[in-house]
Every structure is written in structure tokens, then in C-alpha cells.
Amino acid sequence: TEIKTKRFCISGFVQKPVEADNLFEVIRKVLSPDTLFQELLSRGLDTFKEALSQNITRMAKTSVSFIEDAEIDDPYKSKGVTTIIGIIGQYTGTMILDLSFEVAEKIAETILRRPAKNPEEVLAMVSELANIIGGIACSMLNKREKALGLRVSPPSMFHGNSAELVSPSVKIHKSLAETEYGVIFLGVGFKKGSTLWM
């Protein structure tokens, strides 16, 4: 249905039974999509930083301080373990969590309350942590602005020291989170264009 709605220039829809709040949200979204997108861009990175900070502090028992915010202009060289989360809804986006295997191993050990059984368990723990951070950040953004309808898609995991992260279609803004275990790279970006996910 999304291809058909784009072909006919349909900008929004409601399903029966229609509630007044939902109808007003769709009308507002259709009439001011640029304002909504600008709000998302202005709040996006800070919201994901807040979600990362809360969950690393709660689950890995370490405080988080952010030491750098910037836009990524050049390819970013992975530190070893990269999780990419797709964001779908009124706008699409990407969240990237990147850290060294050593940092991932320390965080996994703290969360599991025991050493990881193998490297796969470390990778699974990082993937799930990224999924939680992305999901909570999307929920926080949706709570502020219901019309966004943001959701996360299943995470993709890459590992190895030679990977370079490049995002040709989404401008990624990064922040470096400093913890007692080491540095965690957080990258977040959005672009116009919706993806429906049922």
C-alpha cells in the first residue's frame, strides 16, 4: 500500500473506526511535515544519548559522559563491534552503536554478572543492548510527538577492525559516550520518507 499511496500523492490516512485525536494528528502531520521533521532533527541525537546513558547506567552499572558531538563527514572506522538499528515510521533513520570488543566484553560481563561464554554471547548482548536503546529512544520521541510513529527494525551486527561505516543517504550525527569500560560511539540520523511496518 505504501507504493500506491506515494503514486497517488497521499500524505496520510486513517483507519476505521476513526478517533478524533488520530484524525487531528494525521491532519497536523500532513499540513506541517517539515516542522515535524525539524523537531525530530533537533531532538533526535539528544534523545538517543539520554536513552544510551540511562540504559548503560542501569544495566552496566557505569556512569556515562558525552565527550564529543559532531556530524560525520568522512567514513567512520569501526572499533570492532558495530550494531546498526533501522528506524521506521513517519521518517526513516539509522542508529549506530560501535565499540571495541574489549569494551563490549566488559559491559556484557557486568550485565550478565559473569564472564561471557563465548564471543557470540558478547555480540548478542551488544545487539540486544542497542535494540533496547533504540526502542526506548523511539518511544521517548513518540511520547513527545505521537505523529512520528517511530519503531526500530531488527538490529544488524558487524564485527571486525577493518569495517568503515558510511551512510550515503542519511546524514549521521555522532556522539562519543565515555564510560569506565571505554568509549562507545553513538550515531543517529534521519531522512524524510516514511516506512510502514505492521
Side-chain angles (χ1 to χ4, degrees):
T1 55
E2 185 179 347
I3 294 170
K4 288 179 186 176
T5 59
K6 286 185 177 182
R7 186 182 309 143
F8 294 117
C9 298
I10 296 172
S11 299
F13 64 92
V14 292
Q15 293 179 330
K16 294 179 183 177
V18 178
E19 293 181 18
D21 288 346
N22 289 346
L23 179 60
F24 288 125
E25 284 295 322
V26 170
I27 291 169
R28 193 170 75 75
K29 178 176 73 175
V30 168
L31 293 176
S32 61
D34 289 337
T35 303
L36 189 59
F37 184 65
Q38 290 307 317
E39 287 177 25
L40 177 61
L41 290 180
S42 68
R43 292 183 176 163
L45 181 61
D46 286 340
T47 303
F48 279 81
K49 285 167 58 175
E50 184 179 342
L52 183 147
S53 180
Q54 287 176 0
N55 285 282
I56 293 289
T57 300
R58 183 175 56 84
M59 296 171 75
K61 311 297 185 218
T62 179
S63 60
V64 176
S65 60
F66 293 93
I67 54 177
E68 180 187 348
D69 287 0
E71 193 174 290
I72 298 179
D73 294 321
D74 299 319
Y76 172 80
K77 187 168 169 109
S78 172
K79 301 296 182 211
V81 178
T82 306
T83 306
I84 299 175
I85 304 279
I87 302 166
I88 52 184
Q90 174 61 23
Y91 303 105
T92 57
T94 302
M95 183 195 96
I96 302 168
L97 198 69
D98 185 73
L99 58 164
S100 71
F101 189 82
E102 293 74 29
V103 172
E105 201 169 33
K106 291 174 190 173
I107 289 173
E109 183 174 344
T110 303
I111 292 172
L112 294 169
R113 297 187 181 140
R114 61 168 172 76
K117 294 176 184 172
N118 51 46
E120 289 76 24
E121 191 172 41
V122 173
L123 297 175
M125 180 59 62
V126 172
S127 178
E128 184 57 30
L129 180 61
N131 197 39
I132 290 167
I133 291 166
I136 288 174
C138 286
S139 293
M140 292 165 69
L141 287 165
N142 289 338
K143 189 173 183 178
R144 289 186 195 130
E145 186 53 69
K146 191 175 179 181
L148 289 170
L150 300 176
R151 303 282 183 271
V152 295
S153 63
S156 296
M157 172 69 70
F158 304 93
H159 55 94
N161 292 327
S162 61
E164 283 191 349
L165 307 177
V166 181
S167 180
S169 63
V170 178
K171 190 170 289 236
I172 300 291
H173 296 269
K174 71 170 182 173
S175 190
L176 299 179
E178 196 168 53
T179 73
E180 69 179 73
Y181 305 122
V183 174
I184 301 170
F185 169 95
L186 172 67
V188 178
F190 293 95
K191 69 177 183 176
K192 292 184 181 183
S194 64
T195 300
L196 300 177
W197 185 49
M198 302 292 177

